[in-house]
Amino acid sequence: MPGPDAATTPVLLGGWTIEAGSRYFGSTGRMQKDLYGLRPTHLVSRLIYGDQTGHAAETFFRFDHKSGFFARGNLGLGPLVDGKLNDEDFPYINYSNTNSDMKSGRFTYGTADVGYNFINDDGRRLGAYVGYHSFYERANGFGIQQQATNGPPLEASKSFLVLSETETWRAAAIGINAQARLSDRLKLEVDAAYLPYASRSGFDNHWFRADINPTPDPGHGWGTQFEAVLSYAVSDRFSVGVGGRYWFFTTDSAYSQFPGGSPQTTKFYSERYGGFLQASYKSGELDTAQAKANGIDKEPPPVMPTNWAGVYLGGTIGAGKGRSHYADPFPTPVSGDYADLGGAMFGGQIGINYQTGSWVLGLEASGYWANVQGTNTCFGAFPSPQIAGFNCGSQIDALGALTGRVGYAFDRTLLYVKGGSAWDRQTNQFNTGGISGTILTNGNTNWGWTVGGGLEYALLPNWSMALEYKYYDFGKSPVFTTAGLGSVPLSPNSTTVQTVSLGVNYKLPILGAR
């Protein structure tokens, strides 16, 4: 399809190009609050606003300069339409566990980033950036239904607003952005960011408890964000695309300030993930490859098959979502006998490839720092109501793997699958609640396996980017026990983790293709 005449082509001054568009973002997520008493080892209450379905309309823009500098941002807002609130209270007697229906919530978010592309070659880009990211949500729980067998008889109609949690996260971001031109019209963009500092402001509303309504909940912590989008150029200026994203925030330090009382230690988690559809329009100068592909220049772009053989090393940044399952010998708690985990990971890898024709065989060793964590009521009611509902949790501090991979190469792209052995460094915690009010901690190294796959793309002859997914299974953690529960194992019966990551590899010029 021919491109527009040069006389009608939008041109920006100084070598800038702008792309702007809109998105629909459909997602789900959770907001979790763990409240501790005046003793920070005594868990008093947990609220999980879970399975919150969200729909958002979003606008976005990106400015690129031919020198490599870029600026970008987005803004989105929409409703939270459903979900389930699980509210647990952990006194020494009369354990309570109630459910409420969620509706009529809302969320907004926005980002502003500036960066520089170290590789900026005809639509193939690799850059780093710093920025500001914000996220706001308000969750509302309607009605009360008591679930605990020995709990107080709490009931309220689903027409009554009972509980609300409002939070705002404001974070500094550092990240990597990569763009790969897979074909004349297909482009893959991958973005991974670590949020080293995030402030949290919020408040809790117990609408039928005037003595504690509202309760401010300030704190600070960190987060991670990951996004990938595949777009198709309908014309030289107009594109459509589909993508996915994952956001995670948590606090390192937070408290709840009850009216007239002392601050109480609190831990917050906020997680949202989903997919989006987008459409965008580009103004200004087009890169050479895009102009040729869309008919401005009739000469087709040259195809340069990539040689993948050789030794490579690189770095990776990404996000992880996992779950620790427990062999619960008691009745299963309402919230399930597992802990949901989320967080960040980054590290490096070294590998070697052998290529014959279009097929690539490889071996890779990887190691990542990680902070993938979460808590839940993993054990149900012990046969005595005063010690019902035990708090469990896991934190993965490191991940590693030795994997083989098989891939198929064409043009600049390598599609591959991989699998092999894996390990993690994991700390498991168990809050003994009514037994002694202490937290038992057990750190260990778990061995398991991993399988996954991805797409690697050659940005330059020796530089490539990779979008990768991996599934880890680490099986059972070493058992630890406490006298109050006899020989009941308090460690996870299994731990699984899923990661998505953006890798950047450099191939050393020491081996050639066969």
Side-chain angles (χ1 to χ4, degrees):
M1 180 171 55
D5 294 334
T8 61
T9 301
V11 177
L12 302 179
L13 296 177
W16 286 97
T17 299
I18 180 172
E19 183 175 11
S22 59
R23 294 185 178 119
Y24 160 74
F25 176 40
S27 63
T28 188
R30 67 180 170 112
M31 184 197 316
Q32 179 171 331
K33 174 182 180 179
D34 291 358
L35 173 67
Y36 293 82
L38 298 179
R39 287 188 307 164
T41 59
H42 178 209
L43 183 67
V44 175
S45 178
R46 169 180 290 119
L47 294 94
I48 300 179
Y49 296 79
D51 299 325
Q52 299 181 82
T53 300
H55 304 280
E58 177 182 336
T59 183
F60 65 95
F61 69 89
R62 174 168 175 146
F63 288 91
D64 279 286
H65 192 265
K66 61 184 179 182
S67 64
F69 287 99
F70 65 88
R72 61 179 192 165
N74 70 346
L75 179 65
L77 73 164
L80 298 171
V81 297
D82 61 15
K84 185 67 70 175
L85 165 60
N86 183 224
D87 178 11
E88 296 178 274
D89 292 308
F90 302 88
Y92 291 118
I93 59 173
N94 293 328
Y95 164 74
S96 175
N97 192 324
T98 64
N99 279 348
S100 301
D101 291 339
M102 293 176 56
K103 57 184 177 180
S104 303
R106 63 185 184 273
F107 71 116
T108 63
Y109 54 92
T111 67
D113 303 318
V114 292
Y116 180 77
N117 289 313
F118 299 98
I119 296 177
N120 190 20
D121 181 29
D122 278 352
R124 297 177 290 273
R125 297 189 176 106
L126 177 65
Y129 64 87
V130 296
Y132 170 82
H133 293 193
S134 67
F135 177 66
Y136 163 90
E137 65 178 327
R138 177 181 176 84
N140 297 313
F142 289 78
I144 298 176
Q145 299 86 43
Q146 180 62 257
Q147 307 296 313
T149 304
N150 298 311
L154 298 175
E155 299 291 337
S157 169
K158 294 182 180 181
S159 62
F160 290 109
L161 177 60
V162 177
L163 290 167
S164 298
E165 186 76 33
T166 304
E167 66 175 4
T168 301
W169 297 87
R170 299 179 177 91
I174 53 175
I176 300 293
N177 180 266
Q179 297 183 30
R181 187 166 298 283
L182 304 180
S183 72
D184 290 349
R185 295 181 180 270
L186 281 178
K187 182 181 76 173
L188 175 67
E189 182 173 358
V190 186
D191 192 273
Y194 180 63
L195 315 181
Y197 180 84
S199 68
R200 184 194 188 275
S201 60
F203 51 88
D204 178 300
N205 293 108
H206 279 61
W207 295 108
F208 288 87
R209 292 283 306 276
D211 57 325
I212 61 171
N213 184 37
T215 304
D217 293 323
H220 62 83
W222 57 274
T224 186
Q225 298 186 351
F226 190 89
E227 181 175 301
V229 56
L230 181 67
S231 59
Y232 177 81
V234 179
S235 72
D236 55 337
R237 301 284 174 180
F238 178 69
S239 296
V240 295
V242 59
R245 57 170 56 133
Y246 174 81
W247 301 337
F248 177 86
F249 298 90
T250 189
T251 54
D252 293 322
S253 176
Y255 65 90
S256 293
Q257 180 62 64
F258 290 93
S262 300
Q264 293 181 218
T265 300
T266 312
K267 176 75 171 180
F268 290 97
Y269 300 93
S270 188
E271 187 178 42
R272 182 147 295 275
Y273 52 94
F276 58 84
L277 302 173
Q278 71 175 43
S280 64
Y281 184 82
K282 182 177 289 188
S283 300
E285 299 178 10
L286 296 174
D287 59 77
T288 304
Q290 188 175 18
K292 289 179 177 179
N294 291 282
I296 295 175
D297 187 332
K298 297 298 184 180
E299 180 185 354
V303 176
M304 301 292 293
T306 298
N307 172 20
W308 295 97
V311 175
Y312 64 89
L313 54 86
T316 290
I317 179 172
K321 181 173 175 58
R323 180 166 285 184
S324 289
H325 291 268
Y326 288 78
D328 183 2
F330 311 126
T332 302
V334 174
S335 54
D337 49 7
Y338 57 83
D340 281 322
L341 315 177
M345 44 84 75
F346 57 81
Q349 61 276 344
I350 183 170
I352 184 170
N353 287 327
Y354 169 85
Q355 184 168 356
T356 175
S358 296
W359 292 97
V360 178
L361 306 177
L363 184 67
E364 181 180 277
S366 59
Y368 309 118
W369 168 90
N371 194 345
V372 180
Q373 56 177 272
T375 61
N376 201 358
T377 307
C378 312
F379 277 31
F382 189 68
S384 178
Q386 68 268 24
I387 54 175
F390 291 103
N391 178 40
C392 309
S394 296
Q395 178 171 327
I396 296 173
D397 300 316
L399 289 166
L402 179 63
T403 55
R405 71 174 183 173
V406 178
Y408 183 81
F410 55 96
D411 298 340
R412 293 174 174 264
T413 303
L414 174 65
L415 298 175
Y416 63 88
V417 295
K418 65 192 314 182
S421 61
W423 61 269
D424 79 338
R425 180 64 185 173
Q426 182 172 327
T427 300
N428 301 309
Q429 293 185 341
F430 189 89
N431 193 318
T432 59
I435 296 176
S436 63
T438 60
I439 297 177
L440 304 177
T441 302
N442 183 36
N444 49 77
T445 298
N446 297 325
W447 292 90
W449 55 270
T450 181
V451 66
L455 180 152
E456 190 166 1
Y457 180 85
L459 299 165
L460 294 175
N462 288 82
W463 287 96
S464 63
M465 56 81 71
L467 170 63
E468 184 170 279
Y469 165 85
K470 280 197 284 195
Y471 176 89
Y472 297 87
D473 190 323
F474 297 108
K476 181 182 296 186
S477 294
V479 171
F480 66 104
T481 63
T482 185
L485 288 176
S487 59
V488 173
L490 307 182
S491 55
N493 194 47
S494 69
T495 300
T496 58
V497 182
Q498 300 179 72
T499 64
V500 286
S501 62
L502 170 59
V504 178
N505 292 319
Y506 177 74
K507 189 181 72 171
L508 302 175
I510 57 174
L511 293 177
R514 289 179 59 89

